[in-house]
């Protein structure tokens, strides 16, 4: 039966009350029974105690007052192969658990909670209070739907939601009377105008909730054990936040390289943890907004187990700090799991672990360490909390007491004293949202509009618009609002195919070559090249590194419409810029690139004349760099340090010494994933050693050290530099230009493409002439690039002396 809805009035939302009192007339044994009612979140509905800043029900923020922190010894017996030693080792190294603080050996401390006191307190609103559920809708499978009772009517809901409701009816807070906001039920999904209006209000709904409750799904694949492991790792991290925890995770070194026993955890723990942290919930687009608007201690439920979100973040932070050992242990555990491996899980693509693209592809088939996502979500939550507090202070005339008297703001991050040097924290949200899953492509935009800064764009939530129209409108608004071309970080362009060797997960002796298309480019031809497609993958995006290539040029963008040869209208972006150079030589972007024309060395004849954009010199000039070697290593790492947006220190020049075999040494591997970084750069050099760098082969500039003793003193600097190089080279090619410049360009770039500096762009932009228009004076964006010697506003000096000309450029 379809649920009968009553229209919402202005300011109203619907909330669900799960009936747990068997004496209630609507209660029916054996079914989840609910009441669906209308309520208002307006201030005049708040209780007097809430208005005065006093205590109300739920003041301690505890989700379950019967919670048990768990016994450490019992947890270790279930998680570890053997009980840990609690004594000082003979080599004088102190085990991280030699002296355990009370916080680690007992239940985690929290606000003192008194159940009887809480029951006597008033509600936050005159009608009560509510929590907002964050969950995965799941596939449409009518045969698996479950019937629940809502307002006395039998209603069919999807199985995952039914399981959540069944679990929630046993939770103490729900029994206490807390209501629930569940979008699938509380929004009339058949009423498009209402759906659009409620989507616009979702920011307020989640931000106003007492708690956001995360539901990962029913217990499966050992999730109870995985939740216990997260709780244990969280406690270990809180006890020693900067420790490598060598008693439970094998430190990098010879033991990691030769032993399958990388950690003290049982093999099943790794399997169950991986499957829990890669549940489909974590790839859902809407969780970005829902988690960002929640508290750091919001409950995370999976089956009958629950932990706090802060525990998930702490546990995954410990894993990331000990990434190499934990990752390799997970790889092996999944490989030997009795269920075998599905294509795309750890171990299946073992030969690609050290590749230059490892860590950048969102597809799970590329072995991206999944635990990194949680730090990104935590940062997003922190940014959102900062934004909310700042906005409340602005709205209250910067009354510093505003947030202190509101108990709902307790537990939020407070940074009101820090200046907001950039309101565009939403770039992080865009990076996460691009790789998230959404059933409706338009929700790629609508699902993040509630995040900090994005609501000010004024994008209407209107499902009558096509996805292409929504994307174009979003790009236009971002360009005008941010007063920059940073949106081009997400430009889509084709990359190509690679050949890889993969093993059958059931038979190690079987080896075969497969072709993988990394990125075929955007297939939505109605989108202009300056508008990112949020459906198609666009490869790696440049992170903010403090570049100023075109930020000093005048930036007054305008938009106009032109016709293509097929008589279709396209929106054109018009702005100022300087055409500077063209690309000549290009490296391969991948060790197994299927296109054997790369690395590409152009002929001695300049190809500048091939490009009709602007007026380019046909004379190949000598390199402007005093030192080609210095220009090379600074280009490979984007001339930025690993710690921020500052120029790389001279010590990073050690990256010119490639490390591979030497990386097996314990001393060298003491810095994170240095071994894989060494393999990465070794593969890059091997494939591109014949690339011509102004008369010198790349293989002669990148060399392997002959003595192991020479690499130990600068191991930390080398690992930092190599990490920067991996980020810079992901999906990109090393390139030389006709005027003797070095750069890193998109993998889709080709010899003859134009190097331009556009107003409002932090980075150099690679352009290609468009020929599908009636007036052939338009260019398409290939992508952003790092060109050494152009990234700090040097183009202004060149323009002032007439070396380049600032002109109008039109992008289609």
């Amino acid at each position: 039966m379809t649920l009968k809805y009553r229209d919402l009035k202005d300011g109203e939302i619907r909330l669900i009350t799960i009936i747990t009192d068997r004496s209630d007339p609507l209660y029916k044994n054996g079914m989840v029974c609910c009441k669906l009612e209308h309520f208002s979140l307006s201030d005049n509905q708040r209780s007097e105690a809430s208005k005065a800043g006093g205590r109300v029900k739920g003041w301690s923020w505890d989700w379950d007052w019967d919670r048990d922190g768990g016994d450490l010894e019992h947890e270790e017996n279930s998680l570890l192969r053997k009980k840990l030693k609690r004594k000082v080792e003979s080599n004088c190294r102190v085990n991280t658990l030699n002296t355990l603080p009370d916080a680690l050996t007992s239940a985690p401390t929290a606000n003192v909670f008194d159940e009887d006191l809480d029951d006597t307190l008033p509600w936050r609103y005159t009608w009560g209070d509510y929590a907002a559920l964050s969950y995965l809708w799941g596939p449409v499978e009518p045969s698996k739907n479950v019937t629940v009772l809502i307002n006395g009517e039998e209603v069919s809901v999807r199985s995952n939601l039914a399981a959540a409701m069944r679990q929630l009816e046993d939770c103490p807070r729900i029994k206490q009377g807390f209501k629930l906001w569940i979008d699938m039920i509380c929004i009339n999904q058949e009423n498009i105008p209402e759906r659009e209006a409620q989507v616009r209000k979702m920011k307020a709904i989640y931000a106003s909730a007492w708690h956001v409750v995360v539901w990962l799904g029913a217990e499966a694949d050992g999730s109870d054990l995985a939740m216990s492991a997260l709780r244990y790792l969280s406690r270990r991290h809180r006890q020693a936040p900067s420790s490598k925890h060598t008693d439970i995770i094998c430190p990098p070194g010879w033991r990691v390289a030769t032993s399958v026993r990388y950690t003290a955890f049982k093999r099943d723990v790794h399997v169950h943890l991986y499957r829990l942290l890669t549940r489909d919930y974590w790839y859902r687009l809407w969780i970005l907004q829902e988690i960002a608007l929640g508290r750091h201690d919001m409950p995370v439920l999976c089956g009958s187990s629950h932990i706090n979100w802060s525990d998930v973040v702490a546990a995954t932070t410990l894993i990331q700090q000990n990434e190499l050992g934990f990752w390799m242990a997970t790889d092996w555990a999944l490989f030997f799991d009795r269920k075998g491996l599905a294509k795309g899980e750890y171990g299946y693509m073992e030969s690609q672990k050290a590749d230059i693209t490892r860590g950048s592809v969102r597809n799970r088939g590329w072995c991206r360490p999944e635990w990194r996502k949680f730090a990104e979500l935590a940062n997003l939550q922190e940014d959102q909390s900062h934004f909310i507090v700042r906005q409340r202070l602005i709205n209250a005339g910067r009354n510093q007491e505003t947030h202190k008297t509101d108990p709902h703001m307790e537990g939020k991050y407070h940074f009101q004293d820090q200046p907001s040097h950039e309101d565009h924290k939403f770039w992080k949200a865009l990076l996460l949202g691009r790789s998230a899953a959404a059933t409706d492509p338009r929700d790629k935009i609508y699902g993040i509009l509630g995040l900090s800064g994005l609501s000010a764009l004024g994008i209407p939530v209107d499902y009558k618009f096509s996805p292409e129209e929504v994307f174009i409108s979003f790009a236009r608004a971002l360009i005008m609002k941010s007063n920059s071309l940073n949106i081009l970080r997400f430009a889509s362009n084709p990359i190509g195919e690679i050949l890889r060797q993969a093993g059958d997960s059931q038979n190690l002796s079987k080896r075969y070559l497969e072709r993988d298309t990394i990125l075929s480019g955007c297939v939505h031809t109605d989108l202009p090249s300056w508008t990112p497609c949020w459906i198609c993958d666009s490869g790696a995006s440049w992170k903010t590194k403090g570049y100023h290539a075109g930020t000093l040029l005048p930036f007054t963008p305008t938009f106009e419409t032109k016709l293509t040869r097929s008589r279709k209208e396209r929106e054109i972006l018009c702005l100022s810029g300087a055409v500077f150079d063209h690309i000549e030589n290009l490296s391969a972007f991948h060790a197994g690139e299927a296109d054997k024309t790369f690395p590409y060395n152009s002929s001695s004849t300049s190809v500048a004349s091939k490009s009709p954009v602007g007026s380019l010199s046909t004379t190949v000039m000598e390199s402007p760099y005093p030192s080609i070697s210095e220009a090379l290593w600074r280009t490979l790492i984007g001339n930025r340090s690993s710690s921020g947006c500052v120029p790389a220190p001279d010590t990073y020049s050690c990256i010119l010494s490639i490390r591979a075999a030497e990386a097996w040494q314990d001393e060298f591997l003491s810095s994170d994933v240095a071994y894989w970084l060494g393999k990465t750069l070794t593969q890059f050099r091997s494939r591109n050693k014949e690339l011509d760098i102004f008369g010198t082969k790349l293989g002669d500039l990148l060399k392997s050290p002959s003595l192991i003793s020479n690499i130990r003193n600068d191991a930390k600097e080398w690992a930092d530099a190599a990490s920067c190089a991996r980020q810079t080279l992901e999906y990109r090619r090393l390139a030389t230009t006709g005027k003797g410049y070095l750069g890193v360009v998109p993998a889709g770039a080709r010899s003859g493409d134009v190097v331009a500096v556009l107003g409002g762009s932090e980075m150099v932009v690679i352009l290609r002439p468009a020929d599908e228009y009636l007036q052939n004076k338009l260019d398409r964006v290939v992508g952003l690039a790092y060109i050494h010697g152009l990234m700090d506003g040097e183009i202004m000096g060149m323009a002032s002396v007439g070396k380049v000309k600032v002109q109008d450029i039109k992008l289609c």
Side-chain angles (χ1 to χ4, degrees), residues 56 183 220 412 452 459 518 608 651 728 754:
V56 293
D183 58 354
K412 295 284 187 179
S452 57
I459 303 294
I518 300 297
T651 53
T728 302
V754 172

Side-chain angles (χ1 to χ4, degrees), residues 10-11 68 100 106 138 335 416 482 542 601 626 662 674 765 805 812:
D10 290 342
D68 180 8
L100 295 176
S106 61
F335 191 84
Q416 66 273 13
S482 66
W542 287 98
N601 291 320
E662 295 87 347
V765 183
K805 178 183 177 182
C812 60

Side-chain angles (χ1 to χ4, degrees), residues 529-542:
S529 63
W530 52 267
T531 297
C533 179
W534 303 97
I535 305 173
C536 302
D537 194 356
S538 60
S541 299
W542 287 98

